Amino acid sequence: DVKVTQSSRYLVKRTGEKVFLECVQDMDHENMFWYRQDPGLGLRLIYFSYDVKMKEKGDIPEGYSVSREKKERFSLILESASTNQTSMYLCASSLFLTEGGGYTFGSGTRLTVV
Amino acid sequence: SQQGEEDPQALSIQEGENATMNCSYKTSINNLQWYRQNSGRGLVHLILIRSNEREKHSGRLRVTLDTSKKSSSLLITASRAADTASYFCATGSNNRLAFGKGNQVVVIP
């Protein structure tokens, strides 16, 4: 069964900490994405990557960075966590950017910054 | 940027009834997709309809697309309690997928 795995289901971090959210996919997909999901705002794209070491900003990249050293792994980094980054973070991967098929999502990481 | 906007935002129906959700969007698209999210979990892809298609079926799901009105509808026939979830439309354009805010559907057994 193909899968996108996010390393943590729940995380609690302190303001100012550096936070790493890890995502691994086993489908050999070129494209990987990080979204955050907030009540009333839906899913918003933070960053995406269409190849190893390649990244593009999404709609809300401020306060975040990403790393894609290997095809199967896409990491989201909060350089200095703030309370307004408390959210559900969803990783996804896909064979195509928008055409040809849907995205496969991980189960999500619910991050609380205190 | 946010593209799809689902309507109604919340829907409560009896098991066996049909559920219909609508989605509107603002710019031109390559395709429109529908996803389901069970409480606290990731999204699951349900169906994709291309901009040159008008209707598509998958099991109990029927999706329509009207590009002149920039709108789509998702029909779930003969609903089951397991269909209780949030449903999102997503529009594909400019190499990214933009999601709507979601539509909560509750199916009462």
Side-chain angles (χ1 to χ4, degrees), chain B residues 28-78:
Chain B
S28 62
I29 60 172
N30 298 324
N31 63 68
L32 187 142
Q33 305 180 28
W34 285 90
Y35 289 78
R36 184 188 74 233
Q37 184 181 36
N38 293 95
S39 180
R41 310 298 293 184
L43 278 72
V44 175
H45 181 252
L46 295 176
I47 194 166
L48 178 152
I49 185 166
R50 291 186 168 77
S51 59
N52 62 353
E53 296 176 310
R54 290 297 165 258
E55 187 171 314
K56 202 161 183 180
H57 296 255
S58 176
R60 295 185 295 114
L61 304 179
R62 173 176 164 254
V63 171
T64 63
L65 179 64
D66 187 335
T67 52
S68 67
K69 295 180 179 178
K70 291 187 167 57
S71 68
S72 173
S73 68
L74 172 68
L75 168 68
I76 305 173
T77 60

Side-chain angles (χ1 to χ4, degrees), chain A residues 9 35 37 40-45 48 56-59 88 90 97-103 105-108 110, chain B residues 1-2 30-31 33 35 37 40-45 48 50 88 92-102:
Chain A
R9 287 282 287 139
Y35 287 86
Q37 183 178 21
L41 296 176
L43 276 76
R44 292 179 290 168
L45 181 64
F48 68 100
E56 277 208 28
K57 293 180 180 179
D59 300 314
M88 169 73 105
L90 293 165
L97 279 172
T98 59
E99 294 288 342
Y103 291 6
F105 279 84
S107 296
R110 189 167 292 281
Chain B
S1 58
Q2 201 75 315
N30 298 324
N31 63 68
Q33 305 180 28
Y35 289 78
Q37 184 181 36
R41 310 298 293 184
L43 278 72
V44 175
H45 181 252
L48 178 152
R50 291 186 168 77
F88 294 82
S93 64
N94 296 327
N95 289 332
R96 59 186 63 190
L97 207 55
F99 287 82
K101 293 182 174 63

Side-chain angles (χ1 to χ4, degrees), chain A residues 19-24 32 34 47 65-70 73-78 91:
Chain A
V19 181
F20 293 86
L21 302 183
E22 306 287 348
C23 176
V24 177
M32 297 187 74
W34 276 106
Y47 267 97
S65 62
V66 290
S67 172
R68 188 144 181 228
E69 296 296 318
K70 294 183 179 180
R73 186 180 295 271
F74 192 34
S75 303
L76 180 69
I77 303 155
L78 287 65
C91 175

